[in-house]
Amino acid sequence: MAGRTLVWKGLDAVRLEICRAEVDGRELRATGTQVGVEPKPYELRYAIEAGRLRVEVAGEASAELSLDGADYFDLEFSPLFNSLPILDHGLDSGGKARDFVMRFVTVPALTVARSEQRYEPFGPGMVRFRSGDFTAMLSLDEDGYVVRYPGLAERIV
């Protein structure tokens, strides 16, 4: 799969995210920028590759993180990060429901917490995402990237 530029707009708040994503084998590498106005205006830049995540909020905090025993990273407000386990395990085309442990990074504070998440395939292009009491039905494109995350974001490119 060749590299792609993906753009999402927020549905719950004024927010945009643009990234350049590329899958090499089963590994997703991406660089991106997320801008938002809540809880305060911010510009965040990230890069993910080989089990590492670099994040920086312009003019504020930055961090370089490893998985530290987790399965994947999950960056708050970013639908790209929901695609990590989907792409890695082919969940966009079926299979069994799977549970994962994520290193969840809040935005813009960049605090890190453990998050248990479940991904349940619902046929081609649909995966149900669960975390605690929260549930969302994710719509995916033919490559497994999130197109619509109800209440959070929808892809415009």
Side-chain angles (χ1 to χ4, degrees), residues 68-116:
D68 198 26
D71 298 307
Y72 300 98
F73 295 104
D74 188 2
L75 185 66
E76 189 172 24
F77 308 128
S78 176
L80 174 71
F81 284 75
N82 292 96
S83 292
L84 292 172
I86 292 168
L87 292 166
D88 202 15
H89 295 277
L91 300 175
D92 55 318
S93 57
K96 296 183 345 184
R98 298 190 59 130
D99 297 308
F100 301 100
V101 174
M102 310 298 205
R103 283 201 81 190
F104 182 77
V105 181
T106 64
V107 173
L110 303 185
T111 57
V112 181
R114 175 187 165 99
S115 173
E116 295 181 9

Side-chain angles (χ1 to χ4, degrees), residues 33-54:
T33 300
Q34 184 185 102
V35 293
V37 297
E38 292 180 19
K40 63 180 183 174
Y42 68 91
E43 174 186 348
L44 176 136
R45 295 183 189 272
Y46 63 82
I48 183 168
E49 63 181 36
R52 304 222 35 97
L53 173 64
R54 289 186 316 276

Side-chain angles (χ1 to χ4, degrees), residues 100-154:
F100 301 100
V101 174
M102 310 298 205
R103 283 201 81 190
F104 182 77
V105 181
T106 64
V107 173
L110 303 185
T111 57
V112 181
R114 175 187 165 99
S115 173
E116 295 181 9
Q117 301 179 0
R118 182 171 183 81
Y119 289 76
E120 303 170 332
F122 263 75
M126 298 295 290
V127 170
R128 182 167 50 201
F129 164 71
R130 294 178 185 250
S131 182
D133 293 335
F134 177 80
T135 301
M137 190 65 78
L138 307 178
S139 300
L140 313 168
D141 69 12
E142 65 280 357
D143 293 325
Y145 293 106
V146 173
V147 173
R148 184 167 176 79
Y149 185 134
L152 179 73
E154 101 181 330

